[in-house]
Amino acid sequence: MSGPGTPRPGDTVEDFALPDESGTTRTLSGLLAEGPVVLFFYPAALTPACTAQACHFRDLAAEFAAVGARPVGISGDPVERQREFTGRHALGMPLLSDTDGAVRERFGVRRALALAPTRRATFVIGRDRSVLEVVRSELRMRTHADRALAALRARRA
C-alpha cells in the first residue's frame, strides 16, 4: 500500500511484525492463521477512554470467538505498559507495541498530536489480509467492538 491513505474495505494490507505485551514478536499473518483479526488502534494504554474501548472488546470475547475472530489491540505504548494494561484489566488478547509508529503510519491512523499520536480506529481483517470493515470513532468507545462484530456476523450469515 503506498502513501498514508487509510485502507478501505476490499484493500489488502501488508503483513507486519510487532512485539506483544509479553515481548513476543507477533505477525499479522500469524494472528490471521486461525481466523479474522479485529485490529483496534488506540491512543494510549491505561487512559480512561482506551480502557473503556479495550474492556468492551474483552467483554465481547465469547461473541468474537463464536464468529472465529480475535481482537488485537495496538498502540504506540512500550511492551511494559501494554503488559500493565492487560494485567490490570485482564484483557486476555494480544496488545501490540508499535513504538516507532510504522504500522500506525501504514494504516493511516497517525495524528500530528505528539501527546496522542494514534487515531482511534478499528480494522476487521480477513484471513487473506483483506479489509472487511473499518470503524472510526474518537468518542463512542463501544462502537468499535459492536460494529466489528456486526460486520463479522453479516459475513457468516
Side-chain angles (χ1 to χ4, degrees):
M1 212 180 66
S2 61
T6 303
R8 290 192 297 280
D11 290 352
T12 300
V13 294
E14 289 174 49
D15 200 8
F16 62 79
L18 288 174
D20 68 11
E21 74 290 346
S22 70
T24 305
T25 298
R26 307 289 281 264
T27 60
L28 179 60
S29 53
L31 290 164
L32 288 167
E34 293 158 34
V37 163
V38 180
L39 190 65
F40 66 99
F41 287 85
Y42 55 93
L46 299 164
T47 57
C50 297
T51 299
Q53 181 187 12
C55 287
H56 193 50
F57 274 104
R58 175 200 66 199
D59 295 346
L60 292 175
E63 283 89 335
F64 280 108
V67 292
R70 67 190 305 183
V72 176
I74 180 169
S75 74
D77 293 291
V79 167
E80 300 71 37
R81 193 150 171 90
Q82 301 287 37
R83 186 180 306 130
E84 185 184 349
F85 192 27
T86 195
R88 191 177 294 181
H89 300 287
L91 296 176
M93 66 189 81
L95 297 182
L96 306 180
S97 183
D98 181 29
T99 49
D100 69 357
V103 175
R104 170 179 67 218
E105 191 79 46
R106 197 181 298 171
F107 278 83
V109 295
R110 185 174 167 275
R111 195 193 336 237
L113 231 66
L115 223 60
T118 306
R119 291 182 191 280
R120 196 181 306 282
T122 297
F123 297 85
V124 181
I125 302 170
R127 292 187 71 170
D128 59 356
R129 289 190 284 117
S130 65
V131 177
L132 308 175
E133 175 74 283
V134 179
V135 183
R136 301 174 157 286
S137 177
E138 292 289 339
L139 303 173
R140 300 212 317 282
M141 300 309 136
R142 297 171 69 93
T143 199
H144 290 269
D146 293 348
R147 284 191 37 207
L149 196 53
L152 288 160
R153 284 179 172 149
R155 281 190 78 240
R156 288 172 70 101

